[in-house]
Amino acid sequence: MTRILAILTMVVCLAGPANAGLQVSSLFTDHMVLQREMPVPVWGSGNPDATIQVEFADQSKTVQVDPDGKWQVRLDPLAANLEPGEMTISSSANDESIVIGDVLVGEVWICSGQSNMQMGYQNIQGIADLVPQTKNIRTFEVKRSVAFRPQESCEGQWAVSQPSSAVAFAFAHFLQQAAEMPVGIILTCWGSSSIEAWMPRDMTETLPHFRTMMQEFDADTARTSKIQEILDGPRPWSRADDIYLRRQSNILYNAMMHPLAPYACRGLVWYQGERNTQSMAGMLREPWFSRTSGMLMYGEVLQQWIERYRKQWNRDDMHFLVVMLPGYGATLNRDSDRDPNSPTAHSWAWMRESQLMALKLPHTSVANTIDLGHLKKIHPTDKLPVGRRLALLAQRDTLGQSVEAQGPTIKNVQPNGDALIVHFDHADGLKTTDGKSPQGFWIAEESGEWCEADASIEDETVVLRSTQLSKPLYVRYAFSAKPDVNLVNDADLPAYPFRTDDFPPTKPAQH
């Protein structure tokens, strides 16, 4: 027990004691971008009872350091500004002061997730070409680490440059062009990480599977000892040690997300899910890093995770932009249905359905990537359209701009004899990318035996039939591992996958 307590009190990210004099959160450095049009918290530590004064943009706020050595002020909402400003933070104790220069005001987003968010832009077609055009983008990249307890600070600093992430860079570029103001990206991501890796420990109170995971983590002294040995050892870590750390639960949140709150930001872009696709129902025994929510539970988990983060930032309107997992041919059916086009295989289709459950919450968007991806590569290179679609959603949902930001979404299905008529929202100019009939539709009767549908576009609907079915009832669209799809609207944005049945994921497809 003594060993465990010693580990749990270990501080990985640097944080000064309360009596170490005036300090400000690690996110406040030269070249930072502050969020416009909302209160801006500024916080740090200092000598208890000292008076802290924060001055910026003709505002001056004061507060007294509390007995624990912490302080926080809230600047009034700021207007976007391309002219660099200077923030001065001073303490009555010993006349200490900190001056932060080259500060801009604009749109700030956190970009997080696993390897497809981390993936660099240098060799990505179209994105590296954006570098010469890029302006007014700044980045704070959180150094990858873990901690056994939530940290107050992290390693990183603001830089006058684009993010290293392909998706975050493309998103920032198109958003900056549309907003015509500075964009700040806080990049905190790590490959192979599950959503549980980014959870605060108190989510064990509402998620039983996470409670089990953390109970097992606490009881596994060999694991905690190994983590501590890696942290105490030389850097850079070996690849094996790096992978071991990033596949843990909770401790990424402690080191790489907790220190960011409550930095004012518009929202969070979340590109994660691959680690949670290794099972349907979750909590596999082997391999150990597959002990996660699984695909079917992920939707509820994601909603609770979003609500918990909003609580952490004290912002009910904090916007979450979720990147749908793109096409990928792998399935979980080891000895049965391995067809990447099958609508019943245990594929990423079920994860995409779970990701779309985020839309049950207000102030959420999901970027559709069903037409992207690669049959055999889990790290596809078509990241440019991902960033562009994220920016379109942010333009519409957070900037209030009148743009078409999403492809057709199911409105309702109308039975009509031997046919089903699918009605869509966002269907202006409904068409296919190749001029051929719509692909990726499957229909079924009450039996649940699925048949590929003959589809045709009529105005802004799709009519579905099959010679094998006299009275179809249900539809699945793009509900497979790597579907062949071509249905878009006039903005060339792809239709979102959907299913209208409630069959469990067990029945085989009929070919």
Side-chain angles (χ1 to χ4, degrees):
M1 178 62 70
T2 302
R3 173 61 175 166
I4 295 175
L5 290 175
I7 291 174
L8 291 177
T9 57
M10 184 69 182
V11 176
V12 178
C13 288
L14 300 177
N19 61 357
L22 177 63
Q23 295 189 35
V24 66
S25 166
S26 48
L27 282 163
F28 293 85
T29 75
D30 291 345
H31 317 303
M32 67 182 175
V33 181
L34 300 178
Q35 176 62 46
R36 70 182 181 114
E37 297 182 349
M38 69 177 63
V40 175
V42 183
W43 72 97
S45 60
N47 293 328
D49 298 325
T51 298
I52 304 298
Q53 182 177 35
V54 177
E55 298 174 280
F56 181 75
D58 299 324
Q59 295 188 43
S60 179
K61 303 289 184 179
T62 59
V63 70
Q64 191 171 37
V65 182
D66 69 23
D68 293 328
K70 298 181 179 180
W71 59 267
Q72 182 183 120
V73 303
R74 286 164 65 89
L75 297 176
D76 298 330
L78 302 161
N81 197 341
L82 284 165
E83 293 297 321
E86 188 174 87
M87 178 181 290
T88 301
I89 304 167
S90 56
S91 171
S92 62
N94 303 319
D95 295 324
E96 296 175 293
S97 65
I98 296 171
V99 178
I100 302 171
D102 191 28
V103 180
L104 301 181
V105 181
E107 290 292 295
V108 179
W109 285 83
I110 299 169
C111 291
S112 189
Q114 57 179 110
S115 53
N116 274 303
M117 176 60 81
Q118 182 179 339
M119 188 174 182
Y121 67 82
Q122 288 80 2
N123 297 315
I124 302 297
Q125 183 178 8
I127 299 183
D129 298 335
L130 299 177
V131 174
Q133 310 169 36
T134 296
K135 60 180 181 179
N136 299 320
I137 294 176
R138 297 182 174 190
T139 305
F140 186 103
E141 186 159 352
V142 179
K143 186 173 182 180
R144 297 177 184 98
S145 190
V146 299
F148 289 103
R149 298 183 64 184
Q151 299 300 293
E152 297 301 321
S153 62
C154 59
E155 294 185 66
Q157 60 183 7
W158 283 97
V160 184
S161 63
Q162 62 278 352
S164 61
S165 156
V167 168
F169 177 21
F171 166 66
H173 173 81
F174 293 113
L175 181 63
Q176 197 283 324
Q177 283 193 327
E180 297 183 328
M181 65 184 68
V183 169
I185 298 294
I186 302 172
L187 183 62
T188 180
C189 56
W190 207 348
S192 299
S193 56
S194 63
I195 192 171
E196 290 82 4
W198 300 94
M199 283 185 186
R201 182 176 279 262
D202 60 26
M203 288 190 71
T204 56
E205 298 170 8
T206 57
L207 291 174
H209 86 284
F210 187 50
R211 182 186 311 124
T212 298
M213 292 170 67
M214 294 314 299
Q215 288 172 344
E216 293 172 346
F217 180 91
D218 293 341
D220 190 348
T221 55
R223 186 196 316 202
T224 52
S225 294
K226 180 176 179 178
I227 293 169
Q228 191 62 60
E229 289 170 3
I230 295 171
L231 293 174
D232 291 340
R235 302 282 186 101
W237 298 315
S238 69
R239 175 172 173 77
D241 287 345
D242 183 284
I243 292 174
Y244 187 76
L245 291 179
R246 53 180 141 129
R247 288 178 171 174
Q248 303 296 332
S249 300
N250 169 249
I251 59 178
L252 275 70
Y253 166 86
N254 291 340
M256 298 179 63
M257 190 65 77
H258 187 270
L260 309 184
Y263 195 85
C265 61
R266 184 65 68 188
L268 188 150
V269 178
W270 182 241
Y271 193 164
Q272 191 280 331
E274 299 92 336
R275 175 54 54 201
N276 291 74
T277 63
Q278 294 184 309
S279 66
M280 296 294 284
M283 299 301 283
L284 295 181
R285 282 290 178 186
E286 297 293 339
W288 66 270
F289 50 81
S290 294
R291 205 150 171 74
T292 66
S293 69
M295 291 189 281
L296 299 181
M297 197 192 310
Y298 188 90
E300 174 60 30
V301 171
L302 179 62
Q303 291 177 74
Q304 289 198 34
W305 181 82
I306 290 171
E307 291 178 321
R308 177 60 182 82
Y309 270 46
R310 287 175 174 167
K311 180 180 178 181
Q312 190 73 29
W313 262 264
N314 194 27
R315 285 260 322 284
D316 290 339
D317 62 346
M318 183 177 179
H319 201 89
F320 281 75
L321 272 169
V322 177
V323 179
M324 180 188 295
L325 293 192
Y328 178 54
T331 68
L332 297 179
N333 304 64
R334 301 301 183 219
D335 57 355
S336 55
D337 194 354
R338 303 299 303 278
D339 183 355
N341 290 302
S342 168
T344 59
H346 293 181
S347 70
W348 282 14
W350 300 95
M351 172 56 84
R352 298 181 196 114
E353 182 177 73
S354 284
Q355 290 179 308
L356 285 166
M357 289 176 65
L359 297 176
K360 293 183 178 181
L361 299 177
H363 308 295
T364 57
S365 312
V366 176
N368 186 9
T369 63
I370 196 62
D371 58 327
L372 306 176
H374 192 280
L375 184 65
K376 297 182 178 180
K377 294 180 180 179
I378 200 169
H379 301 122
T381 58
D382 47 4
K383 296 290 194 287
L384 184 67
V386 178
R388 181 182 286 114
R389 292 172 193 178
L390 286 167
L392 282 172
L393 290 166
Q395 286 175 244
R396 184 193 68 185
D397 297 338
T398 69
L399 299 182
Q401 297 182 358
S402 181
V403 296
E404 180 55 273
Q406 64 186 94
T409 59
I410 183 174
K411 184 177 182 180
N412 59 64
V413 177
Q414 174 188 352
N416 186 17
D418 66 343
L420 293 174
I421 303 174
V422 184
H423 297 260
F424 296 92
D425 290 318
H426 304 279
D428 287 350
L430 193 66
K431 60 183 180 179
T432 58
T433 55
D434 54 11
K436 299 179 181 179
S437 299
Q439 296 178 296
F441 285 94
W442 293 71
I443 55 178
E445 294 180 321
E446 193 64 53
S447 66
E449 297 295 331
W450 293 93
C451 302
E452 195 165 6
D454 295 320
S456 60
I457 296 175
E458 294 186 9
D459 297 323
E460 294 178 352
T461 69
V462 173
V463 179
L464 306 175
R465 289 185 172 88
S466 171
T467 57
Q468 301 177 58
L469 303 178
S470 60
K471 194 175 181 180
L473 297 173
Y474 308 108
V475 184
R476 288 187 179 184
Y477 170 68
F479 203 84
S480 62
K482 183 67 174 69
D484 293 324
V485 293
N486 57 357
L487 187 65
V488 298
N489 58 16
D490 199 42
D492 293 322
L493 293 170
Y496 281 68
F498 68 87
R499 68 184 180 113
T500 63
D501 65 282
D502 58 1
F503 297 131
T506 55
K507 290 183 177 291
Q510 179 177 331
H511 299 284

